[in-house]
């Protein structure tokens, strides 16, 4: 397949994900110019100073002047912005999003006349940090990138997005949006809920903040790291993927009750069984 050289990328949302993508694509010489629009002037100015973007522009000019438009916004904002972008694009412009949920976003534009110019995708990477200062060009290497419902997009649009992710050095998976949302509930969304809940548990029971700091092990710190993630990002994700998150949350609560019961009944053989069974995850993650 021939290599596409994009002349201009339009980045809507200059935060961790969008900024990291722009940095890497510029470093790879896959793009000549990055235009940017964001409701945060501070983010735009910071991104310009850090050379993440080349030019700050208006929403209308960005849509008009870009070959590829990357919508890197929280998922609820994407539902609003995506139709407005598709209303204004030319027939050759490609639009992609990077949201953590897919089905509701796809549903919003299902009947849009320019639906086939849009490619729904999700680069499976993120941190608890946010904003352009957190962007890094090596963020995505060897991570998974999911392209959803590719058959509903133009072949040239899918090929372009595919090459974006190849230049980000990601491993590409093709998946139906509903299956994506189920899988991400299990491997990502529940992790954040668990981290938030553990942080709240410790804050409720341990009132001496200095003690938390002094005694915190690497295990505790890594477990609650996600609790530093911002609610403006994660509340919309939980909202859009509510049914799948509730399903996995119910299973998680069931598993916690097993540990609680084993301790209450001093059934340490069962407790050992639970831990041994959990150890099976090592074989999956270490492949």
């Amino acid at each position: 397949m021939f290599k596409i050289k994009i002349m201009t990328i339009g980045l809507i949302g200059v935060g961790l994900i969008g900024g990291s993508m722009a940095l890497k694509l510029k470093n790879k010489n896959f793009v000549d110019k990055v235009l940017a629009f964001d409701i945060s002037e501070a983010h735009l100015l910071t991104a310009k100073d850090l050379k993440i973007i080349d030019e700050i522009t208006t929403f209308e000019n960005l849509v008009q002047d870009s070959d590829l438009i990357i919508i890197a916004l929280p998922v609820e904002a994407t539902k609003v912005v995506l139709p407005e972008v598709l209303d204004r694009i030319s027939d050759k412009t490609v639009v992609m999003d990077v949201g953590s949920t897919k089905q509701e976003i796809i549903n919003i534009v299902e009947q849009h006349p320019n639906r086939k110019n849009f490619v729904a995708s999700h680069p499976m990477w993120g941190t608890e940090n946010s904003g352009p200062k957190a962007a890094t060009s090596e963020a995505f290497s060897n991570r998974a990138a999911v392209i959803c419902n590719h058959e509903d997009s133009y072949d040239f649009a899918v090929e372009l997005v595919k090459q974006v992710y190849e230049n980000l050095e990601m491993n590409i998976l093709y998946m139906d949006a509903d299956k994506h949302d189920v899988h991400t509930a299990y491997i990502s969304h529940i992790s954040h809920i668990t981290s938030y809940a553990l942080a709240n548990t410790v804050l409720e029971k341990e009132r001496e903040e200095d003690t938390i700091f002094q005694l915190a092990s690497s295990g505790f710190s890594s477990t609650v790291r996600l609790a530093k993630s911002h609610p403006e990002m994660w509340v919309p994700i939980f909202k859009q993927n509510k049914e799948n998150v509730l399903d996995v949350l119910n299973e998680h609560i069931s598993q916690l009750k097993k540990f609680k019961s084993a301790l209450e009944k001093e059934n340490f053989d069962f407790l050992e069984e639970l831990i041994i069974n959990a150890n099976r995850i090592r074989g999956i993650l270490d492949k």
Side-chain angles (χ1 to χ4, degrees):
M1 186 67 67
F2 64 91
K3 178 176 174 60
I4 299 171
K5 174 74 178 295
I6 309 171
M7 299 302 294
T8 303
I9 282 181
L11 184 59
I12 301 178
V14 189
L16 172 68
I17 301 298
S20 296
M21 292 178 74
L23 274 176
K24 183 69 171 183
L25 294 175
K26 289 178 73 173
N27 289 349
K28 283 276 195 172
N29 295 317
F30 189 67
V31 55
D32 286 342
K33 182 187 291 185
V34 177
L35 308 179
F37 173 79
D38 196 303
I39 60 172
S40 170
E41 183 179 1
H43 277 190
L44 288 169
L45 293 174
T46 299
K48 185 80 181 297
D49 288 342
L50 295 174
K51 301 188 184 306
I52 294 172
I53 63 174
D54 300 304
E55 184 178 322
I56 298 170
T57 188
T58 64
F59 178 81
E60 290 76 14
N61 287 342
L62 180 145
V63 174
Q64 176 183 308
D65 297 336
S66 300
D67 301 302
L68 169 68
I69 298 171
I70 301 175
I71 301 176
L73 298 171
V75 291
E76 283 293 290
T78 298
K79 287 170 58 178
V80 175
V81 170
L82 176 58
E84 296 179 359
V85 170
L86 293 180
D87 286 344
R88 294 168 169 82
I89 59 170
S90 74
D91 57 357
K92 298 299 183 184
T93 307
V94 176
V95 182
M96 64 183 290
D97 84 310
V98 296
S100 295
T101 62
K102 295 271 70 83
Q103 191 63 65
E104 279 204 24
I105 290 170
I106 287 174
N107 290 345
I108 286 291
V109 295
E110 185 176 13
Q111 302 302 321
H112 196 285
N114 289 327
R115 162 66 181 92
K116 292 177 76 67
N117 293 72
F118 168 61
V119 179
S121 73
H122 179 201
M124 299 289 292
W125 174 80
T127 75
E128 70 276 17
N129 301 312
S130 62
K133 287 183 178 179
T136 169
S137 64
E138 299 305 315
F140 302 103
S141 297
N142 298 315
R143 306 278 184 167
V146 183
I147 295 176
C148 290
N149 297 30
H150 69 280
E151 66 279 358
D152 295 330
S153 305
Y154 285 125
D155 288 344
F156 76 85
V158 174
E159 175 61 24
L160 181 53
V161 173
K162 177 172 174 275
Q163 292 204 19
V164 166
Y165 284 126
E166 286 176 346
N167 276 271
L168 294 177
E169 300 175 356
M170 302 191 78
N171 303 313
I172 300 170
L173 303 173
Y174 296 92
M175 195 177 293
D176 290 339
D178 57 348
K179 291 182 179 178
H180 165 275
D181 288 357
V182 169
H183 294 320
T184 53
Y186 273 86
I187 64 172
S188 174
H189 303 169
I190 188 61
S191 299
H192 282 78
I193 287 181
T194 302
S195 187
Y196 292 132
L198 178 58
N200 285 337
T201 299
V202 173
L203 291 169
E204 183 66 27
K205 290 294 186 180
E206 179 56 83
R207 299 295 185 177
E208 297 180 21
E209 293 186 8
D210 287 343
T211 303
I212 296 175
F213 177 77
Q214 291 169 10
L215 297 182
S217 65
S218 60
F220 175 80
S221 297
S222 62
T223 304
V224 299
R225 174 181 61 84
L226 296 177
K228 294 182 278 186
S229 301
H230 291 279
E232 56 265 30
M233 176 68 70
W234 280 95
V235 170
I237 290 172
F238 296 146
K239 177 183 176 182
Q240 284 195 24
N241 207 22
K242 183 185 75 170
E243 296 306 321
N244 290 321
V245 171
L246 282 173
D247 180 61
V248 66
L249 188 56
N250 285 331
E251 178 59 34
H252 186 51
I253 291 170
S254 174
Q255 293 296 327
L256 289 173
K257 285 180 177 178
K258 290 180 182 179
F259 279 89
K260 181 174 181 287
S261 176
L263 285 169
E264 286 176 338
K265 298 176 180 178
E266 297 188 357
N267 188 346
F268 300 116
D269 288 339
F270 181 46
L271 185 63
E272 183 179 9
E273 288 178 19
L274 291 172
I275 294 172
I276 290 172
N277 185 64
N279 288 163
R280 292 166 50 215
I281 200 71
R282 181 184 302 169
I284 296 172
L285 297 178
D286 291 346
K287 286 181 179 179

